[in-house]
């Protein structure tokens, strides 16, 4: 089942999320709903706070080629265990800040450890778009948005446009 995606500014998008103590059926349902929400948007990632669940859980699938098999991933309590010194720049977007994009510089490669839906801890290295996406999503779990990497003027301009969009959406509903 799809869940509504919170739009910036929203206090829940600024919160540090709580670790998942146990992989319960409720957590499994949240992950399934988040994948459905992400594919429908469409997006390549989604973090639990974006659907109002303040848990350390994210989903992603950076396979953009429709000819290739999808790779839905669910990462519970993810932690970056290594970041490369070399960086990459990507014009990032966010499903909570639609129609706004900005270049963000991040480590080009990261090693991430997480718990899977099977309750087992696992580790993998990510590069390319996967590395950008997993760092963007882990930022969400720490209440950080890609606009927090921008200068104050650009960030304020985007926030004001989003406030206007939210006012217009509220009037139309
Ligand atoms: O976290 C989010 O808001 C999802 C976001 C993830 C992300 C995008 C770009 C760089 C880093 C992280 C998105 O998925 S925005 C939509 C998007 O990038 C996309 C949508 C359709 C096809 C391909 C990409
Ligand atoms: Zn985002």
């Amino acid at each position: 089942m799809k869940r509504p995606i919170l739009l910036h500014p929203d206090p829940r998008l600024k919160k540090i999320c709580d670790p998942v103590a146990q992989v319960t059926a409720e957590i499994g349902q949240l992950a399934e709903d988040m994948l459905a929400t992400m594919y429908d948007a469409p997006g390549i990632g989604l973090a639990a706070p974006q659907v109002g669940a303040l848990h350390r859980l994210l989903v992603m699938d950076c396979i953009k080629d429709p000819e290739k098999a999808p790779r839905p991933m669910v990462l519970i309590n993810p932690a970056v265990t290594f970041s490369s010194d070399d960086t990459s720049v990507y014009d990032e977007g966010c499903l909570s800040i639609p129609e706004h994009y900005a270049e963000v510089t991040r480590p080009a490669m990261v090693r991430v450890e997480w718990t899977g839906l099977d309750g087992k801890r696992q580790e993998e290295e990510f590069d390319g778009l996967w590395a950008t996406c997993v760092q963007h999503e882990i930022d969400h779990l720490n209440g950080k948005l890609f606009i927090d990497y921008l200068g104050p003027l650009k960030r304020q301009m985007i926030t004001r446009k989003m406030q206007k969009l939210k006012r217009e959406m509220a009037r139309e509903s």
Side-chain angles (χ1 to χ4, degrees):
M1 191 188 71
K2 280 192 298 159
R3 300 193 188 195
I5 297 175
L6 299 182
L7 293 178
H8 168 72
D10 186 298
R12 289 165 288 184
L13 294 172
K14 300 305 294 171
K15 294 261 194 296
I16 296 183
C17 296
D18 297 322
V20 174
Q22 220 186 335
V23 184
T24 58
E26 192 189 324
I27 288 292
Q29 186 63 57
L30 172 63
E32 190 182 308
D33 290 354
M34 284 172 57
L35 281 168
T37 307
M38 179 192 80
Y39 284 123
D40 179 73
I44 53 171
L46 193 68
Q50 292 181 277
V51 293
L54 301 182
H55 303 303
R56 299 191 77 80
L57 188 158
L58 67 88
V59 299
M60 59 178 182
D61 184 350
C62 296
I63 307 286
K64 289 208 257 179
D65 184 347
E67 306 276 292
K68 282 196 182 162
R71 192 188 178 205
M73 297 192 76
V74 177
L75 281 66
I76 299 166
N77 298 335
V80 174
T81 57
F82 174 81
S83 304
S84 65
D85 287 335
D86 59 314
T87 56
S88 75
V89 182
Y90 193 85
D91 200 28
E92 295 192 16
C94 181
L95 296 175
S96 296
I97 315 176
E99 287 166 36
H100 293 279
Y101 301 88
E103 288 191 343
V104 178
T105 303
R106 300 182 185 272
M109 190 277 279
V110 286
R111 195 175 301 140
V112 180
E113 190 187 277
W114 72 92
T115 301
L117 282 174
D118 58 3
K120 290 189 183 136
R121 207 73 186 149
Q122 48 196 276
E123 193 171 35
E124 195 172 313
E125 274 176 16
F126 296 100
D127 60 12
L129 183 55
W130 288 91
T132 299
C133 187
V134 76
Q135 291 174 80
H136 175 115
E137 302 309 334
I138 291 174
D139 274 353
H140 272 301
L141 307 182
N142 294 321
K144 189 165 183 172
L145 302 172
F146 81 91
I147 56 169
D148 294 324
Y149 291 93
L150 310 180
L153 282 181
K154 192 141 192 229
R155 188 168 58 242
Q156 270 169 31
M157 192 192 71
I158 292 175
T159 299
R160 290 204 180 112
K161 285 187 177 165
M162 286 299 302
Q163 282 167 330
K164 185 164 174 263
L165 174 74
K166 288 180 78 173
R167 275 199 303 274
E168 284 164 4
M169 286 170 71
R171 247 187 272 123
E172 281 162 19
S173 67

